[in-house]
Amino acid sequence: MPTPSAAEYTAAVHAAIDRVGQEQAEGVARAAELIASALAADGVVQAFGTGHSEALAMELAGRAGGLVPSNRIALRDVVLYGGRPLDVLKGPELERGTDSAALLFELAAPHPADVFVLASNSGVNGCVVELARLAKENGHPVIVITSAEHTARVQPKHPSGLRLRDLADVALDNGAPFGDAVLPMKSGGLACGISSITAALLAQQIVAEVIARIEAAGGVPPVYLSANIPGGDEHNRVLEARYAGRIRRTA
């Protein structure tokens, strides 16, 4: 058995990207339709993920080339904006339990037209499932990015017994295997996770399709410029002003 290598990981990434790109194309198109419709109705994208899935929220909210009407929700919001003590961020309980989801939803203060994009590789932790439940209960479309293989092999932590995908209007499979890692080691086990890369792919595919729909309708997509190019800050401030008080990048 070969030792994990950069070349092997690159090959695994290429294979996963090709598979996800082909198999999830229909779901990506449906997700883009939901988001384009939300933006047309003056909604914003409410993006959330915990653990490494927070990278999905960062991919969607506040980066160059991305959609300005996007709000990043993070677990630490309960401390930064919700008055919870810092100690609640220690350990996995905040992510696995349901207690903080209602506060996160309240702090996001979603408008009726907002759409939620929620990421969790396992798709079973209580907080993200409860946030999805609250979003659905309040009439918001929910787009989910998860590992179909992993979530099918683990028990839900939400008291309802639901998985994140069970609450989705659109569920996208990030193609990650059970346990996320893809390269076998001589000593046993697997190394090198892949879900962050495929989730980022799905996020950017959705953004591309949303922009295509806005332009096809004759609109001008509200897209960020890099803050590190001339005029970037000025461009971004003008667009952000349209959504004042509704989009937060968090710390």
Side-chain angles (χ1 to χ4, degrees):
M1 180 181 295
T3 298
S5 67
E8 281 193 1
Y9 185 69
T10 300
V13 167
H14 277 298
I17 286 174
D18 288 344
R19 186 172 67 255
V20 169
Q22 292 172 11
E23 294 178 358
Q24 302 305 305
E26 182 180 343
V28 166
R30 287 189 286 120
E33 290 287 353
L34 288 176
I35 292 174
S37 295
L39 300 189
D42 197 35
V44 306
V45 177
Q46 300 281 354
F48 178 66
T50 63
H52 284 92
S53 292
E54 187 179 349
L56 182 280
M58 297 175 72
E59 199 71 25
L60 285 172
R63 71 164 301 161
L67 299 167
V68 173
S70 53
N71 183 50
R72 177 155 63 98
I73 304 169
L75 279 178
R76 57 188 168 276
D77 291 352
V78 301
V79 173
L80 294 173
Y81 308 108
R84 296 276 181 91
L86 184 61
D87 284 352
V88 302
L89 298 179
K90 295 179 180 178
E93 289 77 16
L94 194 63
E95 177 181 0
R96 292 178 178 174
T98 60
D99 291 348
S100 294
L103 180 55
L104 288 172
F105 188 83
E106 178 185 341
L107 292 170
H111 286 209
D114 291 358
V115 56
F116 280 71
V117 182
L118 307 176
S120 170
N121 192 57
S122 70
V124 296
N125 281 319
C127 184
V128 69
V129 174
E130 178 65 6
L131 188 60
R133 191 194 67 77
L134 289 169
K136 290 293 294 179
E137 184 180 80
N138 284 274
H140 300 283
V142 173
I143 298 162
V144 161
I145 298 177
T146 189
S147 165
E149 180 179 338
H150 191 115
T151 199
R153 293 177 60 180
V154 291
Q155 290 299 311
K157 295 181 174 70
H158 193 275
S160 67
L162 294 174
R163 293 173 170 82
L164 184 58
R165 68 182 184 186
D166 296 327
L167 293 158
D169 293 284
V170 177
L172 298 172
D173 179 13
N174 65 24
F178 178 67
D180 202 357
V182 293
L183 299 185
M185 300 180 290
K186 289 181 180 179
S187 55
L190 299 166
C192 302
I194 203 167
S195 63
S196 297
I197 292 173
T198 51
L201 169 69
L202 289 166
Q204 294 297 344
Q205 286 182 317
I206 291 168
V207 169
E209 291 291 327
V210 170
I211 290 169
R213 283 158 175 74
I214 293 172
E215 291 193 326
V220 177
V223 171
Y224 274 111
L225 291 179
S226 170
N228 295 307
I229 65 172
D233 284 335
E234 293 78 9
H235 170 90
N236 296 339
R237 277 196 291 267
V238 169
L239 291 177
E240 287 180 333
R242 300 180 189 173
Y243 308 97
R246 299 178 62 193
I247 57 175
R248 184 169 60 237
R249 300 296 170 243
T250 198

